[in-house]
Amino acid sequence: MAEQARGLLGVHLTGHGVTIQLTEVEAYAGPDDPASHAYTRTARSEIMYGPPGRLYVYRIHGHHCANVVVRGSGPAAAVLLRAGEVVDGVELARARRGAARSTPVPDDRLASGPGNLCRALGITMADLGTDLTDPATPVTLDTCRRGPLPELPVTAGPRVGVRRAADLSWRFFFDGHPTVSGYRRHPRAGG
DNA sequence: CCTCCGATGTGCT
DNA sequence: GCACATCGGAGGC
């Protein structure tokens, strides 16, 4: 499912009136990936065992994170949407990110990091289960209409902040792109 | 019911 | 680089 993740780079994602071009994603396998929520099959992770193309939203540390359920080599694979460049609705994105903040957020940082991405796109738990292939929904993935790709190499590296399986290079991003969030290793990362 | 802790973000040293 | 805010999921009792 690394290939599914790579394939999302450069794709346009629209959320509640804001469109971004994805610049950074992370692949998560299913029950065999200890870093995935699908590692334990519960009510929360159940959506990843369903059909691909749906939105999996979860909360962590008071933030939202968004994933696309994909068809991987095994069941329950998903791709975490980590960063993107705003290509439409920048005013709305600024307003969402600027709320409850003293200094304005630079445009490059509006959708940088999974929590910030969701905030800029207005994605909340209410969007859980959205069919991203349906243009009528407030959150859509434009796999056909991908904009011009950044002239930057696609690089793979370890996933950010995961404790388990911390050395798998399943994070993909346009190397050097200003929207890409920095790498941080989990303090107690094992293998 | 209670405890632990994380696929985070921000600010400060 | 480090601390900490913050809150629901998951599992133990």
Side-chain angles (χ1 to χ4, degrees):
Chain A
M1 104 256 51
E3 288 316 305
Q4 287 86 343
R6 280 175 182 273
L8 286 177
L9 288 176
V11 165
H12 282 191
L13 173 74
T14 300
H16 303 272
V18 174
T19 302
I20 63 171
Q21 180 179 46
L22 292 170
T23 57
E24 180 189 0
V25 296
E26 274 176 6
Y28 286 84
D32 295 333
D33 180 5
S36 172
H37 291 169
Y39 187 64
T40 53
R41 186 169 185 169
T42 64
R44 176 174 68 154
S45 62
E46 192 60 30
I47 182 160
M48 290 189 280
Y49 288 84
R54 306 275 271 268
L55 192 69
Y56 167 46
V57 185
Y58 67 91
R59 301 199 62 167
I60 184 169
H61 294 286
H63 304 272
H64 297 278
C65 294
N67 302 249
V68 183
V69 177
V70 299
R71 174 81 64 196
S73 44
V79 177
L80 172 67
L81 309 175
R82 288 200 58 91
E85 178 178 7
V86 177
V87 295
D88 195 25
V90 66
E91 294 293 341
L92 190 48
R94 286 192 195 120
R96 286 184 179 139
R97 293 279 282 114
R101 184 172 307 275
S102 50
T103 66
V105 179
D107 285 356
D108 284 343
R109 309 268 87 190
L110 285 174
S112 178
N116 290 332
L117 185 152
C118 283
R119 193 158 179 83
L121 269 58
I123 293 175
T124 67
M125 294 305 292
D127 299 301
L128 175 64
T130 297
D131 180 0
L132 296 169
T133 65
D134 181 355
T137 64
V139 186
T140 54
L141 200 55
D142 229 344
T143 30
C144 311
R145 231 187 317 167
R146 91 184 48 186
L149 295 178
E151 307 260 334
L152 293 167
V154 172
T155 303
R159 296 176 289 187
V160 175
V162 297
R163 185 172 63 83
R164 295 181 284 185
D167 293 325
L168 288 180
S169 286
W170 282 358
R171 170 181 179 239
F172 304 97
F173 54 97
F174 291 115
D175 203 356
H177 199 281
T179 62
V180 171
S181 63
Y183 174 69
R184 299 198 316 279
R185 189 176 177 84
H186 192 284
R188 286 172 304 184

